[in-house]
Amino acid sequence: MSEAHRHHAIANLLEERPFVSVKELQLMLRVSAATVRRDIDKLDDAGVARKVHGGLAALEGGRQRKAVSLPFVENRDIAVEAKRAIAVEASKLVRDGSLIIVHGGSTCFEFGTRIANRNPRVFTNSMPLAAYLSEQGTCQLTVGGGDLHREPGILYDPARGGYEFYAAQFYVGALGVSQDGLLENHPLLVRFINDMCGLANEIIVLVDSRKFSERPSSVALPLSRVTRLITDDGLSDRDAAMLEEEGVAFSIAPTARGAA
């Protein structure tokens, strides 16, 4: 298990209980006490949890914890059913023949696989999605240029001038969602999202319901800029009410879990 995956598991555990000991983390993660203590120090430094004698304590107001980013190769295997349901719902909005921008991230990747054999023109800076569409898809594909940033897996040059095109829609994910807007930890993603939003007529947000409890450090986009948000049927009444209060149009993608 990678460090990022361990941190994500610990953060999730602290949503359910106020304290976890070093010994418990050793058994759960199957790592040494030294590795656990390094993880504790890093989570404390990042503001995800509070280092205390013998282990880690949850921050007060657990819903406001900071998000822990996972690499794409690990994140794509989390909440797969929800992401696929969101992708199906989002694909209904795509108009064949139109130009669309698709952001990086695992939910946007699932969306991209759904429209791979449709007939929009897809512009993306996502390396995983571009690779999939080039090998498995038949849609027209344009890949954005720039330096390769392996995490978050995009090609991007912040110093370049503006792009010379205009898209019908920008499909974008986020690490977190709050009443402040779409939230991210990586400054590069904040810059990239703002650049792409200036090129599109509609901003379509694709986020699974877990993202409403994440609190990354930076606002990438206010909710007032969002045309529609698509999430899964795990969305809480509280978060649905927040979206309604902020005037955000949203769709709920049904999952087998929600139907059960």
Side-chain angles (χ1 to χ4, degrees):
M1 183 184 294
S2 70
E3 178 183 281
H5 206 164
R6 292 198 308 274
H7 290 183
H8 192 269
I10 295 169
N12 283 340
L13 181 62
L14 288 172
E15 282 193 330
E16 302 170 0
R17 51 193 295 191
F19 172 80
V20 62
S21 70
V22 172
K23 187 65 175 178
E24 288 174 312
L25 290 175
Q26 276 186 262
L27 294 173
M28 181 183 78
L29 303 173
R30 297 182 180 180
V31 295
S32 67
T35 297
V36 168
R37 291 191 178 96
R38 285 195 295 271
D39 287 341
I40 287 174
D41 286 340
K42 290 181 179 181
L43 290 169
D44 180 77
D45 289 343
V48 175
R50 183 165 52 90
K51 181 179 178 181
V52 296
H53 179 70
L56 265 178
L59 299 177
E60 293 184 6
R63 286 181 57 84
Q64 304 303 313
R65 67 178 177 84
K66 291 185 179 179
V68 179
S69 302
L70 284 175
F72 173 83
V73 293
E74 296 182 14
N75 194 42
R76 68 183 177 188
D77 294 326
I78 298 173
V80 175
E81 182 185 1
K83 292 172 183 176
R84 288 178 177 169
I86 291 167
V88 170
E89 193 70 20
S91 68
K92 299 174 185 177
L93 301 178
V94 176
R95 298 181 289 274
D96 285 340
S98 65
L99 170 60
I100 64 173
I101 306 169
V102 184
H103 189 32
S106 56
T107 307
C108 285
F109 178 84
E110 288 290 346
F111 164 71
T113 66
R114 293 291 306 183
I115 62 166
N117 294 303
R118 296 266 305 271
N119 191 35
R121 185 177 190 91
V122 176
F123 176 94
T124 186
N125 285 65
S126 166
M127 284 297 292
L129 180 56
Y132 180 91
L133 293 178
S134 68
E135 295 178 1
Q136 307 291 333
T138 58
C139 63
Q140 298 181 70
L141 173 65
T142 300
V143 180
D147 296 331
L148 171 60
H149 303 269
R150 288 183 172 82
E151 289 301 333
I154 63 173
L155 289 165
Y156 183 51
D157 179 8
R160 68 164 290 168
Y163 292 90
E164 297 182 353
F165 68 86
Y166 196 70
Q169 298 164 321
F170 175 33
Y171 291 85
V172 56
L175 188 56
V177 181
S178 77
Q179 63 183 12
D180 294 321
L182 307 189
L183 308 175
E184 287 289 351
N185 277 340
H186 203 303
L188 191 70
L189 289 179
V190 174
R191 173 79 177 273
F192 176 77
I193 289 171
N194 275 274
D195 282 354
M196 294 299 106
C197 283
L199 301 173
N201 185 46
E202 297 178 344
I203 314 300
I204 314 296
V205 177
L206 312 181
V207 286
D208 68 79
S209 57
R210 299 172 306 123
K211 301 300 180 68
F212 288 84
S213 63
E214 302 284 5
R215 289 299 177 267
S217 55
S218 301
V219 177
L221 194 73
L223 291 180
S224 60
R225 302 270 314 269
V226 173
T227 305
R228 176 165 293 275
L229 182 146
I230 304 176
T231 189
D232 61 90
D233 49 21
L235 184 72
S236 70
D237 291 343
R238 173 180 175 176
D239 292 325
M242 181 275 289
L243 292 173
E244 291 172 351
E245 289 171 6
E246 296 297 323
V248 178
F250 64 96
S251 302
I252 304 295
T255 63
R257 178 193 59 192

